[in-house]
Amino acid sequence: MHIKQIEEIVVIKVGIVGATGYTGVELLRLLALRDDVCLQVVTSRELDGTPVADVFPNLRGYIDIAFSNPDDEALAACDVVFYATPHTVAMKSAASLMAKGTRIIDLSADFRLKDRALWEQWYKEKHESPELIELAVYGLPEVNRDAIRQAQLVAVPGCYPTAVQLGFLPLLEAGLVDTSRLIADAKSGVSGAGRKAAVGSLLCEASESLNAYGVAGHRHLPEISQGLEKAAGQAVNLTFIPHLTPMIRGIHATLYATPLGDVSAQQLQSLYEARYADELFVDVMPPGSQPATRNVKGSNRCQMAVHYLPASNTIVVLSVIDNLVKGASGQAVQNMNIMFGLPENEGLQTLSLLL
Amino acid sequence: MHIKQIEEIVVIKVGIVGATGYTGVELLRLLALRDDVCLQVVTSRELDGTPVADVFPNLRGYIDIAFSNPDDEALAACDVVFYATPHTVAMKSAASLMAKGTRIIDLSADFRLKDRALWEQWYKEKHESPELIELAVYGLPEVNRDAIRQAQLVAVPGCYPTAVQLGFLPLLEAGLVDTSRLIADAKSGVSGAGRKAAVGSLLCEASESLNAYGVAGHRHLPEISQGLEKAAGQAVNLTFIPHLTPMIRGIHATLYATPLGDVSAQQLQSLYEARYADELFVDVMPPGSQPATRNVKGSNRCQMAVHYLPASNTIVVLSVIDNLVKGASGQAVQNMNIMFGLPENEGLQTLSLLL
Amino acid sequence: MHIKQIEEIVVIKVGIVGATGYTGVELLRLLALRDDVCLQVVTSRELDGTPVADVFPNLRGYIDIAFSNPDDEALAACDVVFYATPHTVAMKSAASLMAKGTRIIDLSADFRLKDRALWEQWYKEKHESPELIELAVYGLPEVNRDAIRQAQLVAVPGCYPTAVQLGFLPLLEAGLVDTSRLIADAKSGVSGAGRKAAVGSLLCEASESLNAYGVAGHRHLPEISQGLEKAAGQAVNLTFIPHLTPMIRGIHATLYATPLGDVSAQQLQSLYEARYADELFVDVMPPGSQPATRNVKGSNRCQMAVHYLPASNTIVVLSVIDNLVKGASGQAVQNMNIMFGLPENEGLQTLSLLL
Amino acid sequence: MHIKQIEEIVVIKVGIVGATGYTGVELLRLLALRDDVCLQVVTSRELDGTPVADVFPNLRGYIDIAFSNPDDEALAACDVVFYATPHTVAMKSAASLMAKGTRIIDLSADFRLKDRALWEQWYKEKHESPELIELAVYGLPEVNRDAIRQAQLVAVPGCYPTAVQLGFLPLLEAGLVDTSRLIADAKSGVSGAGRKAAVGSLLCEASESLNAYGVAGHRHLPEISQGLEKAAGQAVNLTFIPHLTPMIRGIHATLYATPLGDVSAQQLQSLYEARYADELFVDVMPPGSQPATRNVKGSNRCQMAVHYLPASNTIVVLSVIDNLVKGASGQAVQNMNIMFGLPENEGLQTLSLLL
């Protein structure tokens, strides 16, 4: 397998498989205006032949390409192909593109879990490219930057896993907390459910309401645990409860941990600031902060704050991201930048809309 | 002090102090159509003389009374006076009404904490009616029904305290869980902040966003702890993190506890069903349920579900209420019904709007 | 055809065909607590055998019936059957129920248009019960109360037609305006699109956005025109532009008309007040009012205000309803009350939730 | 008066007066990342000394300046000063800055109306800089581009006036419609009310509701009329009804006009396309389109569609903008670009967030 050399590339030829979902559209938004990127292939089986801007009028005048049927040859001619598809699509077709030297950035869950049996248990499918699992690099730059640089296949982390891992990492890497009882109470906007017609995602059902879901087990749990265990160097026991909340974008993870010994708010603050000092997309806020998802809406940033509650001897970490950006398409672009030797924030230096 | 005898009462003469806030309006909604209630005095300093229905056009044709300045005599002529005011108002004026035999139902925090020093610490005021603190009955009918029946002064629980206590009570009363590490991750709609002009409650600030607040300490924490400790018969250590969520009404409390010994989902289900079997306003849902706040919107009901997660040996309770109904005005009316010997669900048998 | 005599009825046996949509659920909400109504049959093909309260947890404890397959015999045993179905269902099956004496209240469009050809043109179907078209009474009580009283088949008006007709009627009946150029700019909440999975109704698509639709022609246009022409006694020319707005419930109709001669605000106010003086569910607000949909949320009331703008010599009428109540299920119940000789507001005297 | 020569400017020194409101924050978002702009002074009386990013955490790491008290000298040292203030502020202080050669871009209403008496009538204040009224250029680039290029003082159009004028202009310039009865039914998001604490803008009041306001007369009416009359070359008679709608951003103007002679959809389409062919920020959509505000959220674009309804012989134009961008701060930046000889879309080529 020969990966195309980045030295030869001036403009990155990009393909997107499954560009009609929310992560696909978000990729289009983040890539459309870049001079160093050429959107070459944008696939959709249902919309073959339809101009992309007919479906997404916000792109009128910025993108003049039409959707096309997935075609191996056209995709293989790209320098990098993003999979913005439901799981099992990338697993079935990435290998043949890789054989021709194309890089793959998979936003789906196909290559996130290193334990194939665990993947098959949670996704209730036989994995069809087990040989790629080991090859795949888990695309959390704050942990795997060097590996991403060399990777031909990147598995972009899920939205919850991004917010929860970034929030817990400093504590676990420093060995400061009891790993036998971690709690992640996470709240997500509705776009996390994707752009598929489902009664539960209708405005009339999902607005003006809030509920937990997946209490008995959510597919992001093993992915989070895998990352936390790697950071801790030992087994962790995580309770993960996701909630559906009445907004479009945003994840707010509220993390609870018990310190193993004495800790102080100041010590925790320093730990977090040091851990993320060089990270462009992780912003450790000042002591006492309570980050709001609106402040990262549309941006690739994770904002977080660490609190210590002496009365109950509990560490509380608040971590917010935009699930479609740092939790999906923005992180995918961040990975692309790294893979192609570009500044990591190229095309991602966008300010949140705030309101 | 002589309380008016309920035998003599055919139509309950009601006064509401501070009827322009959300809990006040909600009281009006719940009382306006009742044949056995007469709205006699509805006070507001700012709106003295203005017909109530001019301010709240949904009441046009149903309420023809006007707001009036708070007047001791007029209020004392009522059988019961509701305080739908910020804290410190009831504390300053309830005593004189009580002296004339009027019953008081205080929706504010003035008489919720039995420990006066604790109250003064959290509310940063000197308590002006310490002699009433002991007299006051904490108006959580599921715990204090008998005392409420005899009470002249009821302190209606806060919204978070209602959802959290009802959710934890069965576990604590049964002594099933480690009380040294309870976690309540609670999510509230914006109406919890009241009807006061504040930038943080503007639609442009609060919609499409979510954030934790009061992490360092929220006034509802000591109130919840007081109730949980009474139920447990011992000290409890609670971490309570409230969140502001982009909806009008609703509280969703996600509660985490560690069992002391072996438990099973079935055992917990039976425990909860038995505890609330006779409660009209607590609905223990079937195993595996994940209650949504929309299902209790506008209703006085608390819906809850109890889960046991064997992998992390954690009990998770999900408890939802409408913060303005079971979390405030509905519960106040429920207390009134009990105090006046009426069916507890009189005027409260309203179905949620659902959407 | 023999209609069951209402004198013999103590408790009205009710059937609902298609009770899983929003108008169906709203019927359940409005009927579930009534002593004089017995919900006998609630049909759904997909959910045959499932308890209604399993699907709509807000009804737990209030309704213990299960959905069943539509069954002619069971439905014919009812005193009245509501069709809360898409168009063409009632047209196909109402006749056989009517033959057995059952009353029909159809919330769909099947019997709204008196002109069969017009119906077939707009609904692009052949009408299968043309003989019932003439028999059907258009269920706008403010116009057809007497006919409704005698009717066996009532066609409940659409949501837009209710708001627009009630708003224009006084002007047209009085012959005050130029009927050759009426404009109705109407804004609807998303629930008007029903409880079907459609991408356009997803929270992520419909919230935080607003757009016109059906500009080239909306099915409610001929229905509105039919009513306006009857009121005017002549042809009318209406421009009707509906808009989708980011809220669950509510219709706001903004109506524009040019007076034929001199008019004054005071004269218009008197006209409107007189026209609706005896109407329980039409509230003409004071001069200068600007009604908000929130004030009628959950209620069967139409609130309206009439303005005269001298600078542009234009009459502007603002008319608001809850599309699911006065615009559908509430009006259906109002019709039922009239048909069965009950007080017209039985079960409908509910206050708006306001917030 | 000597205006600073743009030839000498490499980096534009910018001051913003009143940067804590929504238009101010939006200016910060649009200017913060530009290499050719230096944010020099950002004023706020209340927040003097507070770092901007402390108040708007989305700007953390992008803006390190602090708010300062308005200071004439510091402002005069800027090449351009934006007023993002309530009306009357610019009128009182712009003259002294202009005397020192600074350019002024006023987002308030102070210099929009050419008729001073009219201004004083609508704004109920005496105008304190009448001499600047004539000097001011109305900053609608699609009409006044050449004048803007030379201007020292630009009055940025209001949000409604931008959407309504752009929508009507082609019809009026071509003399195609009856100017004696134009109707603009406009719908705005809540951010149009600004970032001031007001009960009516609370999430609990403004979400899940919709109402007209300013029916008797809105301050944007004379501004719109002034522009339409200039385009038509004659008096126009406009009925303008604004509505408050439950979303943060966006204006949707639905415009109604009667053609003077025969027109066709195709002719209108060509007229609109030709009128705006060279405009970067006006997008005439294909025949039959119904633009949604979401497609311009966060972007400086106006999307519009023109319809002809033969049945009622009415032209309907649908025009959408983001009220904070093309309706305020984006248009202000567009004006700045023109004034400083930059490409008109510099810093404004941002794609809408879509969702």
Side-chain angles (χ1 to χ4, degrees):
Chain A
M1 217 158 8
H2 165 82
I3 316 183
K4 288 162 193 167
Q5 294 304 304
I6 60 173
E7 289 73 17
E8 307 154 13
I9 298 171
V10 179
V11 170
I12 306 173
K13 296 195 288 282
V14 166
I16 302 177
V17 180
T20 59
Y22 290 141
T23 55
V25 179
E26 194 70 359
L27 277 173
L28 292 173
R29 179 177 78 89
L30 293 170
L31 296 174
L33 296 178
R34 285 180 64 160
D35 293 330
D36 58 350
V37 164
C38 171
L39 284 172
Q40 199 129 328
V41 188
V42 176
T43 82
S44 163
R45 285 181 200 282
E46 296 74 21
L47 296 171
D48 181 30
T50 306
V52 169
D54 283 11
V55 181
F56 302 112
N58 63 320
L59 301 175
R60 279 172 54 84
Y62 296 109
I63 292 187
D64 51 12
I65 199 173
F67 289 108
S68 58
N69 254 320
D71 172 83
D72 229 50
E73 205 166 330
L75 288 169
C78 294
D79 297 309
V80 62
V81 168
F82 292 90
Y83 279 89
T85 45
H87 65 279
T88 77
V89 177
M91 158 181 100
K92 288 174 184 166
S93 60
S96 78
L97 301 179
M98 289 173 68
K100 292 171 189 153
T102 299
R103 283 171 177 79
I104 302 292
I105 299 179
D106 178 20
L107 284 80
S108 86
D110 285 6
F111 301 106
R112 291 182 193 155
L113 296 186
K114 289 299 172 193
D115 180 337
R116 172 186 170 180
L118 195 67
W119 190 93
E120 295 183 342
Q121 171 197 327
W122 281 91
Y123 289 88
K124 308 198 184 308
E125 300 262 353
K126 192 173 149 44
H127 202 293
E128 297 189 22
S129 292
E131 74 288 354
L132 292 184
I133 293 180
E134 201 179 344
L135 210 70
V137 172
Y138 188 69
L140 194 60
E142 291 77 10
V143 172
N144 287 336
R145 185 168 286 111
D146 289 339
I148 293 166
R149 202 168 279 129
Q150 316 297 331
Q152 191 184 5
L153 169 59
V154 163
V156 181
C159 50
Y160 287 123
T162 297
V164 175
Q165 287 178 83
L166 291 176
F168 269 137
L169 280 182
L171 295 177
L172 296 176
E173 290 171 354
L176 279 186
V177 295
D178 179 354
T179 58
S180 75
R181 190 162 174 242
L182 302 174
I183 292 178
D185 187 293
K187 299 90 177 165
S188 172
V190 182
S191 61
R195 189 167 173 263
K196 61 170 181 291
V199 167
S201 304
L202 295 177
L203 181 140
C204 294
E205 309 276 324
S207 80
E208 289 300 311
S209 192
L210 194 153
N211 62 278
Y213 68 100
V215 173
H218 185 284
R219 283 167 173 176
H220 283 175
L221 174 56
E223 180 186 342
I224 300 172
S225 294
Q226 169 184 281
L228 299 186
E229 296 191 338
K230 198 177 151 203
Q234 61 173 295
V236 306
N237 208 336
L238 174 72
T239 299
F240 168 59
I241 307 289
H243 298 76
L244 185 68
T245 68
M247 57 187 184
I248 299 176
R249 290 168 179 252
I251 283 185
H252 185 292
T254 313
L255 311 177
Y256 301 89
T258 308
L260 288 172
D262 284 353
V263 296
S264 71
Q266 196 184 330
Q267 167 196 4
L268 293 170
Q269 183 72 24
S270 302
L271 175 74
Y272 273 70
E273 289 181 358
R275 174 61 179 85
Y276 293 122
D278 297 330
E279 292 298 341
L280 290 170
F281 294 116
V282 180
D283 178 21
V284 177
M285 300 182 76
S289 294
Q290 297 167 142
T293 60
R294 67 198 291 253
N295 288 318
V296 297
K297 187 167 57 176
S299 109
N300 195 49
R301 196 142 69 158
C302 174
Q303 286 192 320
M304 64 173 66
V306 57
H307 294 255
Y308 176 62
L309 306 183
S312 59
N313 188 31
T314 298
I315 297 168
V316 176
V317 182
L318 311 171
S319 165
V320 302
I321 59 169
D322 182 323
N323 56 307
L324 294 180
V325 192
K326 183 61 178 168
S329 306
Q331 187 146 263
V333 170
Q334 187 181 355
N335 274 285
M336 183 192 82
N337 289 341
I338 297 171
M339 292 163 87
F340 286 87
L342 301 170
E344 198 164 322
N345 62 359
E346 191 69 38
L348 293 173
Q349 258 207 319
T350 51
L351 290 178
S352 156
L353 209 54
L354 185 63
L355 78 153
Chain B
M1 219 161 5
H2 164 82
I3 316 184
K4 288 163 193 166
Q5 293 304 303
I6 61 172
E7 289 72 17
E8 308 154 12
I9 299 171
V10 179
V11 170
I12 305 172
K13 296 194 288 282
V14 166
I16 302 178
V17 180
T20 59
Y22 290 141
T23 56
V25 180
E26 194 70 359
L27 277 173
L28 292 173
R29 179 178 77 89
L30 293 170
L31 296 173
L33 297 178
R34 284 180 64 161
D35 294 330
D36 58 349
V37 164
C38 171
L39 284 170
Q40 199 129 328
V41 187
V42 176
T43 82
S44 163
R45 285 181 200 281
E46 295 75 20
L47 296 170
D48 180 30
T50 306
V52 170
D54 283 11
V55 182
F56 302 112
N58 64 320
L59 301 175
R60 278 172 56 83
Y62 295 110
I63 291 186
D64 52 12
I65 200 173
F67 290 108
S68 58
N69 255 319
D71 171 82
D72 228 49
E73 205 166 328
L75 288 169
C78 294
D79 297 310
V80 62
V81 168
F82 292 90
Y83 280 89
T85 44
H87 65 278
T88 77
V89 176
M91 158 181 100
K92 289 173 183 165
S93 60
S96 78
L97 301 179
M98 289 174 68
K100 293 171 188 154
T102 298
R103 284 172 177 79
I104 303 292
I105 299 178
D106 178 20
L107 283 81
S108 86
D110 285 5
F111 302 106
R112 290 182 193 155
L113 296 186
K114 288 299 173 194
D115 180 336
R116 172 185 170 181
L118 196 65
W119 190 93
E120 295 184 340
Q121 171 197 326
W122 280 91
Y123 290 89
K124 308 198 184 308
E125 300 263 353
K126 192 173 148 45
H127 202 294
E128 298 190 21
S129 293
E131 74 289 354
L132 292 184
I133 291 179
E134 201 180 344
L135 211 68
V137 173
Y138 188 69
L140 193 62
E142 292 76 9
V143 172
N144 287 335
R145 186 168 285 112
D146 288 340
I148 293 165
R149 202 169 281 129
Q150 315 298 329
Q152 193 185 3
L153 169 59
V154 163
V156 181
C159 50
Y160 287 124
T162 298
V164 175
Q165 288 178 83
L166 290 176
F168 269 137
L169 281 182
L171 296 176
L172 296 176
E173 290 171 353
L176 278 186
V177 296
D178 180 354
T179 57
S180 75
R181 189 162 175 241
L182 301 175
I183 292 177
D185 187 294
K187 298 92 177 163
S188 173
V190 182
S191 62
R195 189 166 173 265
K196 62 170 180 290
V199 167
S201 304
L202 295 177
L203 182 140
C204 295
E205 309 276 323
S207 82
E208 289 300 313
S209 192
L210 194 153
N211 62 278
Y213 67 101
V215 172
H218 185 284
R219 284 168 173 176
H220 282 175
L221 174 57
E223 181 186 342
I224 301 172
S225 294
Q226 169 184 280
L228 298 187
E229 296 191 340
K230 198 178 150 200
Q234 60 173 297
V236 305
N237 208 334
L238 174 72
T239 299
F240 167 59
I241 307 288
H243 298 75
L244 184 68
T245 68
M247 58 188 184
I248 299 175
R249 288 167 180 253
I251 283 184
H252 185 293
T254 312
L255 311 177
Y256 302 88
T258 309
L260 288 171
D262 284 353
V263 297
S264 71
Q266 197 184 330
Q267 168 195 2
L268 293 170
Q269 183 72 22
S270 301
L271 174 74
Y272 273 71
E273 289 182 359
R275 174 59 179 86
Y276 293 122
D278 297 330
E279 292 299 341
L280 290 170
F281 293 116
V282 180
D283 178 22
V284 177
M285 301 183 75
S289 295
Q290 296 166 143
T293 60
R294 67 198 290 254
N295 289 316
V296 296
K297 187 166 56 176
S299 109
N300 196 48
R301 196 142 68 159
C302 175
Q303 286 193 320
M304 62 174 66
V306 58
H307 294 255
Y308 176 61
L309 306 183
S312 58
N313 188 33
T314 298
I315 298 169
V316 176
V317 182
L318 312 171
S319 165
V320 301
I321 60 169
D322 183 323
N323 56 307
L324 294 180
V325 192
K326 184 61 177 167
S329 306
Q331 188 146 262
V333 170
Q334 187 181 355
N335 275 285
M336 182 192 83
N337 289 341
I338 296 171
M339 292 163 88
F340 286 87
L342 301 170
E344 199 164 320
N345 61 0
E346 192 69 38
L348 294 173
Q349 258 208 318
T350 51
L351 289 177
S352 155
L353 209 53
L354 186 62
L355 78 154
Chain C
M1 220 160 5
H2 164 83
I3 316 184
K4 288 162 194 168
Q5 293 306 300
I6 61 171
E7 290 73 19
E8 307 154 12
I9 298 172
V10 180
V11 170
I12 306 172
K13 293 194 290 282
V14 166
I16 302 177
V17 180
T20 59
Y22 290 140
T23 56
V25 179
E26 194 70 359
L27 278 173
L28 292 173
R29 179 177 77 90
L30 293 170
L31 296 174
L33 296 178
R34 285 181 64 161
D35 293 331
D36 58 350
V37 164
C38 171
L39 284 171
Q40 199 129 329
V41 187
V42 176
T43 82
S44 163
R45 285 181 200 282
E46 296 75 21
L47 295 171
D48 180 30
T50 306
V52 170
D54 283 11
V55 181
F56 302 112
N58 63 320
L59 301 175
R60 279 171 55 84
Y62 296 110
I63 291 186
D64 52 11
I65 201 173
F67 290 108
S68 58
N69 254 321
D71 172 82
D72 228 51
E73 205 165 328
L75 288 168
C78 295
D79 297 310
V80 62
V81 168
F82 292 90
Y83 279 88
T85 45
H87 65 279
T88 77
V89 177
M91 157 181 102
K92 288 173 183 165
S93 61
S96 78
L97 300 179
M98 290 174 68
K100 292 171 189 155
T102 298
R103 283 172 177 79
I104 302 292
I105 299 179
D106 178 20
L107 283 80
S108 86
D110 285 6
F111 302 106
R112 291 182 193 155
L113 296 186
K114 288 300 173 195
D115 181 335
R116 172 186 170 178
L118 196 65
W119 190 93
E120 295 184 342
Q121 171 197 327
W122 281 90
Y123 290 89
K124 309 202 183 305
E125 301 262 351
K126 191 174 151 44
H127 201 294
E128 297 190 22
S129 292
E131 74 289 354
L132 292 184
I133 292 179
E134 200 178 345
L135 210 69
V137 172
Y138 187 69
L140 193 62
E142 291 77 9
V143 172
N144 287 336
R145 186 167 285 112
D146 289 339
I148 294 166
R149 202 168 279 129
Q150 316 297 330
Q152 192 184 4
L153 169 59
V154 163
V156 181
C159 50
Y160 287 125
T162 299
V164 175
Q165 287 178 82
L166 290 177
F168 269 136
L169 280 182
L171 295 177
L172 295 177
E173 289 171 354
L176 278 186
V177 296
D178 179 355
T179 59
S180 75
R181 190 162 174 243
L182 301 175
I183 291 177
D185 187 294
K187 298 91 177 165
S188 173
V190 182
S191 62
R195 190 168 173 265
K196 62 169 181 289
V199 167
S201 304
L202 295 177
L203 181 140
C204 294
E205 309 276 323
S207 82
E208 288 300 312
S209 192
L210 194 153
N211 61 278
Y213 67 100
V215 172
H218 184 285
R219 284 168 173 175
H220 283 173
L221 174 57
E223 180 186 342
I224 300 172
S225 294
Q226 169 184 282
L228 298 186
E229 295 190 340
K230 198 177 150 202
Q234 59 173 296
V236 305
N237 207 334
L238 174 71
T239 299
F240 167 59
I241 307 288
H243 298 74
L244 184 68
T245 68
M247 58 186 183
I248 299 175
R249 290 168 179 252
I251 282 184
H252 185 293
T254 312
L255 311 177
Y256 302 89
T258 308
L260 288 171
D262 284 352
V263 296
S264 71
Q266 195 183 332
Q267 168 196 4
L268 293 170
Q269 183 73 22
S270 301
L271 175 73
Y272 273 69
E273 288 181 0
R275 174 59 179 87
Y276 292 122
D278 297 329
E279 292 299 341
L280 290 170
F281 294 115
V282 180
D283 177 22
V284 177
M285 299 183 77
S289 294
Q290 297 166 143
T293 61
R294 67 198 291 254
N295 288 317
V296 296
K297 187 167 56 176
S299 109
N300 196 49
R301 196 142 67 159
C302 174
Q303 286 192 320
M304 63 174 66
V306 58
H307 293 255
Y308 175 62
L309 306 183
S312 59
N313 189 31
T314 298
I315 298 169
V316 176
V317 183
L318 311 172
S319 166
V320 301
I321 60 169
D322 182 323
N323 56 309
L324 294 180
V325 192
K326 184 62 177 167
S329 306
Q331 188 146 263
V333 171
Q334 186 181 356
N335 274 285
M336 183 191 82
N337 289 342
I338 297 171
M339 293 162 87
F340 286 87
L342 300 170
E344 198 164 322
N345 62 359
E346 192 69 39
L348 293 173
Q349 258 208 319
T350 51
L351 290 177
S352 155
L353 208 54
L354 186 61
L355 78 153
Chain D
M1 218 158 8
H2 164 81
I3 316 184
K4 288 163 194 167
Q5 293 305 301
I6 61 172
E7 289 73 16
E8 307 154 12
I9 298 172
V10 180
V11 170
I12 306 172
K13 295 194 288 283
V14 166
I16 302 177
V17 180
T20 60
Y22 290 141
T23 55
V25 179
E26 194 70 359
L27 277 174
L28 291 174
R29 179 177 77 89
L30 293 170
L31 296 174
L33 296 178
R34 285 181 64 162
D35 294 330
D36 58 350
V37 164
C38 172
L39 285 171
Q40 199 128 328
V41 188
V42 177
T43 81
S44 164
R45 286 182 200 281
E46 295 75 21
L47 296 170
D48 179 30
T50 306
V52 170
D54 283 11
V55 181
F56 302 112
N58 63 319
L59 301 175
R60 280 171 55 83
Y62 296 111
I63 291 186
D64 51 12
I65 200 173
F67 290 109
S68 58
N69 254 321
D71 171 83
D72 228 50
E73 205 166 327
L75 288 168
C78 295
D79 297 309
V80 61
V81 168
F82 292 90
Y83 279 89
T85 45
H87 65 279
T88 78
V89 177
M91 155 181 103
K92 288 172 184 166
S93 59
S96 78
L97 300 180
M98 289 175 68
K100 293 171 189 154
T102 299
R103 284 172 177 79
I104 302 291
I105 300 178
D106 178 21
L107 284 79
S108 88
D110 285 6
F111 301 106
R112 290 182 193 155
L113 296 186
K114 288 299 173 195
D115 180 336
R116 172 186 170 179
L118 196 65
W119 190 92
E120 295 185 341
Q121 171 197 327
W122 281 91
Y123 290 89
K124 309 200 183 307
E125 301 262 353
K126 191 172 151 46
H127 202 294
E128 297 189 22
S129 293
E131 74 289 354
L132 291 185
I133 292 179
E134 200 179 344
L135 209 70
V137 172
Y138 188 69
L140 194 61
E142 291 76 10
V143 172
N144 286 336
R145 186 167 286 111
D146 289 339
I148 293 166
R149 202 168 280 128
Q150 316 297 330
Q152 191 184 5
L153 169 58
V154 163
V156 181
C159 49
Y160 287 125
T162 298
V164 175
Q165 288 179 81
L166 290 177
F168 269 136
L169 280 183
L171 296 176
L172 295 177
E173 289 171 353
L176 278 186
V177 295
D178 180 354
T179 57
S180 74
R181 189 163 176 243
L182 301 175
I183 291 177
D185 187 292
K187 299 91 178 166
S188 173
V190 182
S191 61
R195 190 168 173 264
K196 62 169 179 290
V199 167
S201 304
L202 294 177
L203 181 140
C204 295
E205 308 276 324
S207 81
E208 289 300 312
S209 192
L210 194 153
N211 61 278
Y213 67 100
V215 172
H218 185 284
R219 285 169 172 174
H220 283 173
L221 174 56
E223 180 186 342
I224 300 172
S225 295
Q226 169 184 281
L228 298 186
E229 295 191 340
K230 197 178 150 201
Q234 60 174 295
V236 305
N237 208 334
L238 174 71
T239 300
F240 167 59
I241 307 288
H243 297 75
L244 185 67
T245 68
M247 57 187 183
I248 299 175
R249 289 168 180 252
I251 281 183
H252 185 293
T254 312
L255 311 177
Y256 301 88
T258 308
L260 288 171
D262 284 352
V263 296
S264 71
Q266 195 183 331
Q267 168 195 3
L268 294 170
Q269 183 72 23
S270 302
L271 175 73
Y272 273 70
E273 288 181 359
R275 174 60 178 85
Y276 293 121
D278 297 329
E279 291 298 341
L280 289 171
F281 293 116
V282 180
D283 177 22
V284 177
M285 300 183 75
S289 294
Q290 296 166 144
T293 60
R294 67 198 291 255
N295 289 318
V296 296
K297 186 166 57 176
S299 108
N300 195 48
R301 194 141 70 159
C302 174
Q303 286 192 320
M304 63 173 66
V306 57
H307 293 256
Y308 175 62
L309 306 184
S312 59
N313 188 32
T314 299
I315 298 168
V316 176
V317 182
L318 311 172
S319 165
V320 302
I321 59 168
D322 182 324
N323 56 308
L324 293 180
V325 191
K326 183 63 176 167
S329 306
Q331 188 146 262
V333 171
Q334 187 181 354
N335 274 285
M336 182 192 82
N337 289 341
I338 297 172
M339 292 162 88
F340 286 86
L342 301 171
E344 198 163 323
N345 62 359
E346 192 69 38
L348 293 172
Q349 258 207 319
T350 51
L351 290 177
S352 154
L353 208 52
L354 185 63
L355 77 153

